[in-house]
Amino acid sequence: MSNIRDIAKEAGVSVTTVSRIINNHPYVTEEKQLAQKILKQTNLPDALIVTNDAHCAGLYAEFQNQGIKVPEDIALISYENGELSQVNNITSIDLPLLQMGDRSVELILSDSATSEELPSKLIIRKST
């Protein structure tokens, strides 16, 4: 009898991802549906850039469930670079979230209507 660690190892995903799938976590359900829509397309995209780690991990899990190999069949990149992208080995764009929040508050308090660009960094992992 397989346990959750065996399943995660065989699927090449984290125990957290398997747990979320087993427990029907909301993002997994949404991303399962999205992954199935993508897989119905005539041509699979080469890569997807996904809005955050949770959605990307959900897509990753469903692609693997459907026999789609990441990154061989489709590459995945998330925005965020939080714990989920790290434990699932997902390539991610590291956003300076703390700096963005601090700077936003400063601009609001200064009553300034300016915009600025903060640096981000691509963290390459096994999903690309």
Side-chain angles (χ1 to χ4, degrees), residues 7-8 24 28 36 38 45 55 62 64 66 75 95 97-98 117:
I7 294 166
N24 203 25
V28 172
Q36 290 170 352
I38 291 167
H55 290 275
E62 183 57 23
Q64 288 188 323
Q66 298 295 325
L95 299 176
L97 296 174
L98 184 59
E117 201 171 305

Side-chain angles (χ1 to χ4, degrees), residues 24-36 55 58-59:
N24 203 25
H25 191 278
Y27 87 74
V28 172
T29 301
E30 293 168 11
E31 298 317 318
K32 181 176 184 174
Q33 293 170 350
L34 178 57
Q36 290 170 352
H55 290 275
L59 282 171

Side-chain angles (χ1 to χ4, degrees), residues 61-107:
E62 183 57 23
F63 286 149
Q64 288 188 323
N65 288 340
Q66 298 295 325
I68 302 300
K69 294 178 184 167
V70 176
E72 294 86 352
D73 298 328
I74 189 167
L76 295 173
I77 299 172
S78 73
Y79 276 101
E80 193 175 351
N81 195 38
E83 184 179 343
L84 276 175
S85 66
Q86 294 169 26
V87 298
N88 288 295
N89 237 342
I90 296 171
T91 295
S92 189
I93 297 169
D94 186 30
L95 299 176
L97 296 174
L98 184 59
Q99 188 180 4
M100 289 166 64
D102 289 346
R103 191 65 188 125
S104 296
V105 170
E106 289 170 9
L107 290 172

